[in-house]
Amino acid sequence: MATIATPQSIKKPQNVVKEDAMWLQKEMINRNYMELATARQNNRKVSATFVPGNLNELLMCFDFARSLPETNALQNGMRKKSGKMIMDAERDGQSEDVCTYVKADLGMMMGGEIGPTGDPLPRPDILLLSYTGCFTFMKWFELIRHKYGCETVMLHVPYQGEGRIEPNMREYVVKQLKETVIPTLERVSGVKFDIDRLRQYMRESVKAEEDLVAVLQSAKNRPSPIDGYFGAVYYIGPIFTAFRGTPEATEYYRVLRGEIDERVRLGKGPVTPDGDMGEEKYRLVVEGPPNWTSFRDFWKMFYEEGAVVVSSTYAKVGGLYDFGFRHDAEHPLESLADYCLGCYTNHSLPARINMICRYIDEYSADGLLVNSIKSCNSFSAGQLLLLREVERRTGKPAAFIETDLVDPRYFSAANVKNRLESYFQMVKQKRAAGVAPGKGPGVFPIAAGH
């Protein structure tokens, strides 16, 4: 990996405001696309894997260039390219009910594998699936394997039905790593596995993870210096994709933490696309992924009302670091297992409810907002039950809106804005009435893993 760029060296458009770290994140993501585009001429093999449970440190041990299909889809969505790709996939036979990340990816392939930055994406040499709570991932890779005929290796990860990691679950994952995953990566890459190399990457990971947690937990301040949903998608980008374990990621999170610490010192709120946010009027916890095709307009509906998201479940989809997990260089394979086992979508519905109740309490939130994604079953299943239970336990108001990941046909700005305005009014009324939190059953702790 190249040396990280500096904020001063990055060309910044004049019509949008971002923190320096946000620009650095964009530069890193774009550079990874360039590494993918030039992988063949540099004699590098290419892997494709998903964000939840991604084994980035392990893949780096074999010198793979690393592509992440759902990141490709969301990047195309933010660049307003995904709508045509989805319709192309539907014309090719994909159902309207299929995850729009999948259809955006398949449509991109049909258009000649041109990635979000306009650079070509190489065909993968290996598909590595760490199954962490989303069944769609398996069907997605079946379709890619059918198209490309590339090698596929699956790491089966047991579901945390009881809300904790049992020793036999960890042993099961480690056994697969030793007997199936690592030997396959060695054979495809031609590189011998070096566990000391893995340990070194993990030492870098821990540094980044510590700083990311400090940034996310800074939202406990009033005003919150960050938006833990819209802003956090920039913060989690490097660590949830192809950079965790690199010195670049370590430096990125050092820069980010310094910026946020300074905002706390100055008593400033989040940076929005229109500049510093005004008065903080509402503090929310949000469940569910964002809408990417109208991301800026969606965010604007919040900050124009003085609403800041102090915590979100989406910012934990690639790892529950704020509940104590860190990669452990002394137990590297066990650490990889715990990481996969502990991803948000691999937790049961009761565990997710516990997590959200804890966020509402610890971050002094006014309530919960659920953004239900039409085509995302792993997030959306059970969300109405989740909403009612969180309301019952906390006594805080909750609301429900519906959008989609990268399909612009399912974002109705007027409907979303009306629901949000009604919700903010409800929060204001509850506040005025002085409604005390409900006294539901105790909140169980979330397991941190090994």
Side-chain angles (χ1 to χ4, degrees):
M1 292 284 185
T3 304
I4 192 169
T6 63
Q8 295 75 25
S9 68
I10 299 171
K11 186 178 180 181
K12 307 171 186 177
Q14 297 302 306
N15 64 336
V16 62
V17 178
K18 292 182 183 179
E19 296 159 295
D20 283 343
M22 289 182 177
W23 293 115
L24 290 174
Q25 180 263 3
K26 182 177 180 180
E27 183 78 5
M28 292 169 76
I29 298 296
N30 288 347
R31 190 158 64 250
N32 190 61
Y33 280 120
M34 182 54 64
E35 288 199 9
L36 287 165
T38 57
R40 296 297 178 226
Q41 65 194 63
N42 290 326
N43 296 315
R44 292 185 71 185
K45 296 290 180 70
V46 177
S47 66
T49 194
F50 293 108
V51 168
N54 84 73
L55 303 177
N56 196 60
E57 296 91 346
L58 185 63
L59 287 168
M60 288 195 297
C61 290
F62 301 96
D63 300 327
F64 284 106
R66 298 170 301 287
S67 179
L68 295 103
E70 77 262 50
T71 302
N72 299 339
L74 76 84
Q75 290 288 338
N76 277 321
M78 293 189 86
R79 291 165 167 83
K80 314 292 186 186
K81 297 178 179 181
S82 59
K84 180 182 181 303
M85 295 171 180
I86 290 167
M87 288 189 285
D88 286 345
E90 289 176 352
R91 281 191 289 268
D92 195 48
Q94 297 299 321
S95 165
E96 285 189 7
D97 294 326
V98 169
C99 169
T100 51
Y101 274 169
V102 176
K103 289 186 288 189
D105 191 41
L106 298 176
M108 182 182 71
M109 294 177 196
M110 293 169 65
E113 289 94 13
I114 302 301
T117 58
D119 299 306
L121 291 180
R123 297 186 174 203
D125 297 287
I126 189 164
L127 305 173
L128 171 59
L129 171 58
S130 301
Y131 177 68
T132 50
C134 180
F135 179 76
T136 298
F137 283 168
M138 290 193 286
K139 306 307 292 184
W140 190 347
F141 266 14
E142 281 182 12
L143 292 169
I144 299 176
R145 181 177 61 186
H146 179 72
K147 179 175 177 62
Y148 291 145
C150 51
E151 184 122 15
T152 307
V153 61
M154 177 176 173
L155 178 65
H156 182 251
V157 179
Y159 185 63
Q160 274 204 55
E162 301 299 321
R164 60 183 178 272
I165 298 173
E166 300 289 358
N168 65 315
M169 296 161 69
R170 182 181 299 117
E171 291 162 8
Y172 175 61
V173 176
V174 170
K175 186 173 189 290
Q176 294 175 77
L177 288 168
K178 288 179 177 178
E179 297 180 3
T180 304
V181 175
I182 289 173
T184 304
L185 295 176
E186 284 183 322
R187 177 167 49 79
V188 173
S189 68
V191 177
K192 185 72 175 170
F193 176 58
D194 181 350
I195 198 165
D196 289 328
R197 187 175 175 184
L198 177 60
R199 288 191 172 103
Q200 183 55 40
Y201 291 141
M202 286 190 170
R203 292 186 187 101
E204 291 293 335
S205 295
V206 171
K207 299 173 191 174
E209 289 158 3
E210 289 285 345
D211 284 340
L212 174 63
V213 169
V215 168
L216 295 177
Q217 292 186 340
S218 72
K220 294 178 182 179
N221 288 278
R222 283 182 181 270
S224 170
I226 68 165
D227 185 282
Y229 185 51
F230 297 101
V233 302
Y234 292 95
Y235 307 149
I236 63 178
I239 204 167
F240 284 5
T241 58
F243 290 92
R244 194 183 66 240
T246 68
E248 281 181 284
T250 300
E251 176 63 11
Y252 169 79
Y253 287 100
R254 186 194 66 78
V255 170
L256 172 62
R257 184 173 182 176
E259 281 188 13
I260 302 307
D261 285 347
E262 181 65 6
R263 296 191 72 78
V264 170
R265 189 184 71 79
L266 297 173
K268 289 186 172 185
V271 174
T272 78
D274 290 320
D276 285 351
M277 182 174 150
E279 180 189 356
E280 180 186 286
K281 298 178 182 177
Y282 309 104
R283 294 169 65 86
L284 307 178
V285 172
V286 172
E287 152 74 4
N291 170 273
W292 299 109
T293 54
S294 300
F295 185 81
R296 186 173 176 181
D297 292 337
F298 192 23
W299 189 359
K300 191 171 186 177
M301 294 179 192
F302 287 74
Y303 63 73
E304 283 192 337
E305 294 285 342
V308 61
V309 181
V310 289
S311 190
S312 67
T313 57
Y314 180 75
K316 316 299 158 38
V317 72
L320 294 181
Y321 300 112
D322 56 338
F323 286 99
F325 173 80
R326 298 290 183 275
H327 282 86
D328 182 358
E330 299 306 312
H331 306 91
L333 297 184
E334 293 80 4
S335 180
L336 291 177
D338 284 351
Y339 172 67
C340 294
L341 285 158
C343 289
Y344 179 73
T345 49
N346 206 51
H347 279 270
S348 66
L349 195 61
R352 297 188 198 190
I353 291 168
N354 291 340
M355 185 187 310
I356 291 168
C357 290
R358 183 167 165 179
Y359 285 146
I360 288 174
D361 178 46
E362 292 184 359
Y363 288 76
S364 304
D366 294 305
L368 169 68
L369 178 70
V370 174
N371 182 33
S372 187
I373 298 298
K374 175 187 178 295
S375 68
C376 183
N377 292 330
S378 66
F379 256 100
S380 300
Q383 281 181 330
L384 282 174
L385 183 151
L386 179 151
L387 179 149
R388 295 191 193 104
E389 182 64 12
V390 169
E391 270 195 320
R392 185 183 73 82
R393 287 196 195 182
T394 66
K396 301 292 179 71
F400 192 88
I401 58 174
E402 295 176 278
T403 67
D404 193 72
L405 295 163
V406 290
D407 192 336
R409 297 172 296 182
Y410 295 102
F411 184 83
S412 170
N415 286 345
V416 172
K417 189 172 178 62
N418 286 340
R419 289 194 185 190
L420 286 175
E421 288 173 349
S422 297
Y423 177 54
F424 297 143
Q425 188 63 31
M426 180 168 60
V427 170
K428 193 183 297 183
Q429 289 170 352
K430 283 253 189 181
R431 245 194 229 143
V435 176
K439 296 191 182 221
V443 176
F444 299 104
I446 305 269
H450 182 70

